[in-house]
Amino acid sequence: MNRIDTTPCGIFVLRLALGTMFVSHGLLKILVFTVPGTIGFFESLGYPGWLAHVTIAAEIGGGVLLLLGFRTRLVSLALIPILLGAVQVHWTNGWTFSAPGGGWEYPAFLVAAAAAQALMGSGSLALDTVLADRRRPVEGVA
């Protein structure tokens, strides 16, 4: 009996979910909370206001790169500190994300998902794969 390896497809699904989540959270900070509102929120937590810009850019830019499958391992690792910041922000609200102010379970899960993505790579339908194929020498060509 032949077994089909669906692992690359599963990794692809995780990559799409993470990429979509990051893009949507970055856009949420622009379109719903507004940039000045996000800056104010960051400052109310004791963070410098400029960190809101970095976070928005990282979420949208990193999310797009994940959706494209470009430098997936590096991008996933680079986004973990942002997720750890979200865990810290929600820590005092308790475990469940349905708690008032949102608990830390969802951002903690996303840390694990981003770490798993970094360990597994891009999966199917990724620019990383296309670029790697272009760099491989063709057999019989010197």
Side-chain angles (χ1 to χ4, degrees), residues 19 21-30 35 38-39 42 49-66 75 78-79 82:
M21 187 281 309
F22 275 112
V23 170
S24 65
H25 276 83
L27 291 176
L28 181 72
K29 288 172 178 66
I30 294 172
V35 173
T38 303
I39 291 169
F42 274 54
W50 59 263
L51 191 56
H53 294 285
V54 172
T55 301
I56 291 167
E59 287 180 340
I60 295 173
V64 168
L65 292 175
L66 286 174
V75 171
L79 290 169
I82 290 175

Side-chain angles (χ1 to χ4, degrees), residues 41 86-104:
F41 178 68
V87 170
Q88 181 183 11
V89 166
H90 293 283
W91 187 261
T92 58
N93 300 333
W95 166 251
T96 61
F97 205 67
S98 60
W104 55 274

Side-chain angles (χ1 to χ4, degrees), residues 32-50:
V32 176
F33 302 139
T34 73
V35 173
T38 303
I39 291 169
F41 178 68
F42 274 54
E43 290 174 340
S44 77
L45 297 170
Y47 294 115
W50 59 263

